[in-house]
Amino acid sequence: MGLFSKLFGAKVEKDAMDALKTFTQAAVDAQKNQNAQGAQSAPSVNSAPAAPAYDYEEDGPSGFSWGPKMPAEENQYNFSGTFEQYFDSIFLKEYPQYRVEKEKVSGGLTLVYTFYNGDSKALVVEILSRTSGAQKRRNDCRKNGVAYLRYYHNYHGWWNVKQYVIQRTNKALGI
């Protein structure tokens, strides 16, 4: 059972996987076509790389905080600051009962928020690049019985809508 089916049900998970497969196949086909055209005619020295073919405003299957169309609700992509400022605004404003410490790692590409209830570590949240393969912090939390969440800051289609972040965080904190 995948994360989607746990959160949204098996049908939503299947729809999301089908949409992802369709998108991936379209990208592969577009790359093959571009390579075939490039073999027939040499590219111009001044030619710019092609823009991605995926339109984030198109309709398609969507969930609470994911899908091809950006939700109107506040999310990290329509927020008027950086992803760091976005998550700061949520965690520091919504959870005043916790001491929240932030650490920047990987040159600032990864943020780690640690929530403390008194002296006890209650939750660790990592904000990662989608290309990160980091598992150590997650595994350490699992070994130590500390709740763990991760969000990706650069994964278009995964919007991190404010209410989604709050609901996941509340659930991880048991509130």
Side-chain angles (χ1 to χ4, degrees):
M1 181 178 280
L3 176 62
F4 272 31
S5 62
K6 288 179 184 175
L7 293 174
F8 306 111
K11 180 169 180 358
V12 172
E13 179 179 44
K14 182 186 179 319
D15 290 347
M17 293 306 292
D18 289 346
L20 182 60
K21 287 176 188 174
T22 300
F23 172 68
T24 303
Q25 188 58 49
V28 169
D29 292 344
Q31 185 64 43
K32 285 179 184 176
N33 289 340
Q34 187 176 11
N35 288 345
Q37 289 173 355
Q40 294 170 358
S41 63
S44 165
V45 174
N46 295 328
S47 67
Y54 191 59
D55 177 7
Y56 293 104
E57 296 303 318
E58 72 182 22
D59 288 330
S62 294
F64 180 38
S65 186
W66 60 270
K69 189 171 183 177
M70 183 187 299
E73 184 181 347
E74 182 177 60
N75 64 72
Q76 77 176 61
Y77 294 96
N78 65 12
F79 182 75
S80 63
T82 65
F83 72 92
E84 179 178 354
Q85 291 167 332
Y86 176 71
F87 284 99
D88 282 353
S89 73
I90 294 173
F91 294 149
L92 300 177
K93 187 180 205 177
E94 297 293 326
Y95 301 98
Q97 69 273 37
Y98 292 90
R99 182 176 43 128
V100 180
E101 295 181 2
K102 177 177 65 175
E103 177 185 6
K104 293 181 185 182
V105 295
S106 302
L109 293 177
T110 298
L111 301 174
V112 180
Y113 293 88
T114 306
F115 290 66
Y116 290 91
N117 188 3
D119 291 333
S120 299
K121 193 181 289 189
L123 172 66
V124 174
V125 178
E126 272 188 304
I127 315 295
L128 302 161
S129 166
R130 72 177 233 161
T131 58
S132 175
Q135 299 294 325
K136 184 178 181 346
R137 195 172 320 273
R138 180 191 306 199
N139 292 336
D140 289 348
C141 286
R142 188 176 292 136
K143 287 177 192 172
N144 294 314
V146 175
Y148 173 90
L149 290 176
R150 77 171 29 177
Y151 298 95
Y152 296 102
H153 64 78
N154 62 347
Y155 203 140
H156 284 281
W158 292 82
W159 305 108
N160 291 324
V161 170
K162 184 176 181 178
Q163 286 305 310
Y164 171 75
V165 173
I166 291 169
Q167 285 180 14
R168 281 190 73 207
T169 304
N170 285 350
K171 185 174 179 181
L173 288 168
I175 55 178

